[in-house]
């Protein structure tokens, strides 16, 4: 990864937050590395080195700045954009694959030898997969130290370290202090939710149009799985070591996240999936500059800067939603999905206090709202669970039912990879090879499940209506050709056309 010294130094001198996560500033005179936006005095040129990753800075013997906390910066947006091996590897490392399966597991997922993968990551990131995963483990450990009451041994293994000694050595090397001192400095502040609950801030590059994100998710929220209330999005999660629940509240400069985890080892994957869901690693200025160059979109971009692309925490879930949403309204698709989920959920007994509540003057709707507010949310169904459902559970035509089963079978058998590190082109090819899945469905999955920033849906009815509202051609072929001017951000153009509709 080539870093131009002059451009990077100008970003540091101006404390430009847009470049946080793009690169890291190493200061040789102090032995620390910082975000470009660090509020400290700008270092002299002769004392500065720039690194493409926190792991590379740590490998050069530098420790993380305690003032700007560069290890908690937004991730580089290029790892969401790029579909090459390095981009896929970075997404998988963020999801905890190295901690779970080691470097051999990461290499196998990507289809390369360990040696070649190490060589590619060293060339681009200045560090190999183990060092990159180690940097992430250090950040996970810091979160657990500062926000939970867990013992240090528990934190060490929850963060993915092989031993307490390795944990202690890494924390001392990265932060320049012992784990116990790090907790004493910040104060022990266990989350109010109790054991297994962690609170943290998810940084992003401004601007963020939070209302658009929450509106999009609210309309599509599935009862029992998701909920949007009072500016907070909650949902259940299926994670590598168990289940969890996330509550995400957009705020000024960050998203406040409260995570309830059955297994603390799932912290890094949960954070990565929440960031991906809300598209927090995007570079909204670069995206908006491209879209605003089109006079048809310029007014919408000026009125609503920072529109993000809502993605997914589960690739299979998004693909299933796309199939059910073919040629039906969002409301109809939501109803069908809810029935499908109910077929895999035991029916709860009636609330014994319902009559008492009614006698006390609490309406049925108020009672429902009270239940929903504190209700534990479940994870979405897995491919294996869908395959076990009887025909009558689907509530849809047989052809579409078999399409869903074909999808579930391909995912369960490992023939279709819809995870963030999957090959996007290969996934689209395998999707369209399944009976009942066409270009629209594959494009929707590429956009929301695989994170492709340049997918376009010219045949989508809402996209065509939005195009008409903005004075653009609504003929799919003509609109598709017109959309070339929005590359490489056509997925974000789709979101804006949907809002225009």
């Amino acid at each position: 990864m080539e870093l131009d010294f002059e451009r990077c130094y100008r970003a540091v001198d101006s404390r430009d937050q847009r470049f946080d996560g793009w690169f890291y500033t190493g200061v040789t005179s102090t032995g620390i590395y910082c975000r470009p936006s660090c509020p400290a005095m700008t270092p002299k040129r002769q004392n500065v080195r720039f690194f493409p990753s926190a792991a590379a800075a740590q490998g050069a013997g530098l420790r993380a700045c305690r003032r700007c906390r560069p290890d908690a910066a937004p991730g580089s947006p290029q790892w969401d954009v790029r579909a090459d091996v390095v981009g896929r590897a970075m997404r998988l490392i963020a999801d905890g694959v190295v901690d779970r399966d080691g470097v051999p597991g990461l290499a196998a997922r990507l289809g390369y030898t360990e040696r070649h993968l190490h060589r590619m990551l060293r060339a681009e990131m200045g560090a190999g997969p183990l060092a990159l995963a180690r940097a992430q483990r250090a950040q996970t450990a810091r979160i657990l130290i500062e926000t939970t009451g867990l013992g240090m041994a528990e934190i060490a293994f929850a963060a993915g370290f092989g031993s307490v000694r390795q944990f202690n050595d890494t924390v001392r090397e990265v932060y320049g202090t012992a784990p116990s001192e790090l907790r004493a400095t910040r104060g022990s502040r266990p989350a109010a939710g109790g054991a297994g609950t962690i609170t943290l801030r998810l940084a992003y590059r401004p601007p963020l149009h939070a209302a658009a994100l929450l509106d999009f998710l609210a309309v599509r929220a599935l009862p029992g799985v998701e909920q949007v209330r009072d500016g907070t999005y909650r949902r259940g999660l299926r994670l590598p070591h168990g289940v969890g629940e996330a509550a995400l509240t957009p705020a000024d400069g960050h998203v406040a996240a409260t995570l309830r985890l059955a297994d603390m080892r799932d912290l890094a994957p949960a954070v990565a999936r929440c960031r991906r869901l809300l598209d927090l690693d995007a570079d909204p200025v670069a995206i908006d500059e491209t879209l605003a160059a089109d006079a048809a979109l310029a007014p919408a971009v000026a009125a609503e800067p920072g529109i993000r692309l809502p993605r997914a925490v589960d690739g299979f879930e998004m693909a299933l939603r796309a199939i059910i949403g073919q040629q039906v309204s969002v409301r109809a698709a939501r109803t069908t999905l809810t029935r499908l989920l109910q077929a895999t959920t035991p029916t709860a007994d009636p609330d014994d206090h319902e009559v008492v509540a009614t006698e006390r003057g609490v309406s049925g709707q108020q009672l429902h709202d009270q239940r929903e507010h504190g209700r534990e949310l479940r994870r979405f169904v897995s491919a294996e669970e869908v395959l076990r459902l009887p025909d009558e559970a689907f509530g849809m035509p047989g052809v579409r039912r078999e399409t869903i089963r074909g999808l579930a079978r391909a995912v369960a058998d490992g023939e279709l990879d819809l995870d963030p590190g999957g090959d996007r082109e290969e996934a689209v090819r395998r999707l369209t090879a399944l009976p009942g899945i066409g270009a629209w469905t594959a494009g929707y999955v590429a956009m929301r499940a695989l994170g492709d920033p340049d997918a376009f849906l010219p045949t989508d009815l809402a996209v065509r209506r939005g195009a008409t509202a903005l004075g653009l051609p609504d003929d799919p072929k003509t609109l598709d050709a017109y959309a070339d001017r929005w590359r490489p951000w056509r997925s974000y153009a789709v979101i804006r056309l949907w809002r225009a509709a």
Side-chain angles (χ1 to χ4, degrees), residues 15 34 37-43 65 67:
R15 295 170 176 78
C34 304
S37 65
C38 182
M41 182 181 297
T42 303
C65 174
R67 187 171 182 181

Side-chain angles (χ1 to χ4, degrees), residues 124-406:
E124 293 248 13
M125 302 303 303
L130 280 177
L132 291 164
R134 175 178 174 269
Q136 178 170 283
R137 284 196 292 271
Q139 164 64 359
T140 301
R142 182 170 188 164
I143 293 171
L144 292 172
I145 289 170
E146 294 179 353
T147 65
T148 74
L150 293 174
M152 294 301 172
E154 294 175 287
I155 290 174
F157 295 110
F161 290 98
S163 67
V164 175
R165 180 177 179 178
Q166 184 188 63
F167 159 72
N168 286 327
D169 290 346
T170 299
V171 171
R172 284 182 179 276
E173 182 179 341
V174 174
Y175 299 113
T177 186
S180 57
E181 294 169 350
L182 196 61
R183 173 168 281 177
T185 300
R186 299 288 294 184
S188 181
R189 297 173 291 127
T197 301
I198 300 171
T199 58
L200 63 155
R201 293 183 171 194
L202 306 181
Y204 60 79
R205 292 174 189 81
L208 172 71
H209 199 300
L213 263 176
L214 293 178
D215 287 348
F216 186 96
L217 295 170
V219 169
R220 294 161 178 80
L222 297 174
V225 175
E226 304 168 277
Q227 181 187 88
V228 178
R229 177 190 293 272
D230 300 329
T232 296
Y233 171 77
R234 295 175 56 224
R235 73 156 294 139
L237 300 170
R238 181 171 67 246
L239 298 164
H241 299 101
V243 296
E245 183 179 306
L248 307 171
T249 308
D252 185 18
H254 68 276
V255 171
T258 300
L259 305 175
R260 292 173 53 198
L261 305 175
D263 192 316
M264 285 296 175
R265 291 176 295 174
D266 284 328
L267 175 58
V271 169
R273 294 174 194 195
C274 290
R275 296 193 66 85
R276 189 163 66 246
L277 172 68
L278 301 185
D279 195 21
L280 297 184
D281 291 322
D283 186 345
V285 175
I287 296 165
D288 286 353
E289 282 178 352
T290 298
L291 299 183
D294 183 352
L297 290 181
V301 173
E304 297 183 328
I307 294 288
R308 303 300 173 105
L309 171 62
R311 296 186 179 175
V313 297
D314 184 312
F316 172 71
E317 172 187 336
M318 193 50 60
L320 181 56
R321 286 178 180 243
I323 292 172
I324 291 178
Q326 292 173 347
Q327 300 176 341
V328 299
S329 68
V330 171
R331 175 178 289 186
R334 184 172 176 266
T335 299
T336 302
L337 277 163
T338 300
R339 290 172 180 164
L340 186 65
L341 289 171
Q342 288 172 344
T344 64
T345 307
T347 303
D349 292 331
D351 191 333
D352 292 336
H353 301 291
E354 182 169 355
V355 175
V356 175
T358 303
E359 290 175 351
R360 290 178 179 174
V362 179
S363 69
Q365 182 60 48
Q366 289 174 324
L367 183 63
H368 173 77
D369 290 344
Q370 290 170 9
R371 288 176 183 164
E372 290 295 312
H373 184 65
R375 181 181 180 183
E376 183 175 341
L377 300 177
R378 60 164 291 183
R379 60 171 177 76
F380 196 80
V381 294
S382 66
E384 292 79 5
E385 287 171 321
V386 168
L387 287 173
R388 292 195 292 266
L389 290 175
D391 290 353
E392 56 271 18
F394 289 84
M396 63 187 68
V399 173
R400 186 156 299 181
R401 180 183 66 227
E402 293 309 311
T403 297
I404 290 174
R405 283 179 170 156

Side-chain angles (χ1 to χ4, degrees), residues 420-437:
D423 186 317
R424 290 171 182 166
E425 292 186 0
E426 178 66 13
V428 169
R429 187 186 68 79
R430 290 182 179 270
L431 275 169
T432 53
L434 294 173
I437 295 182

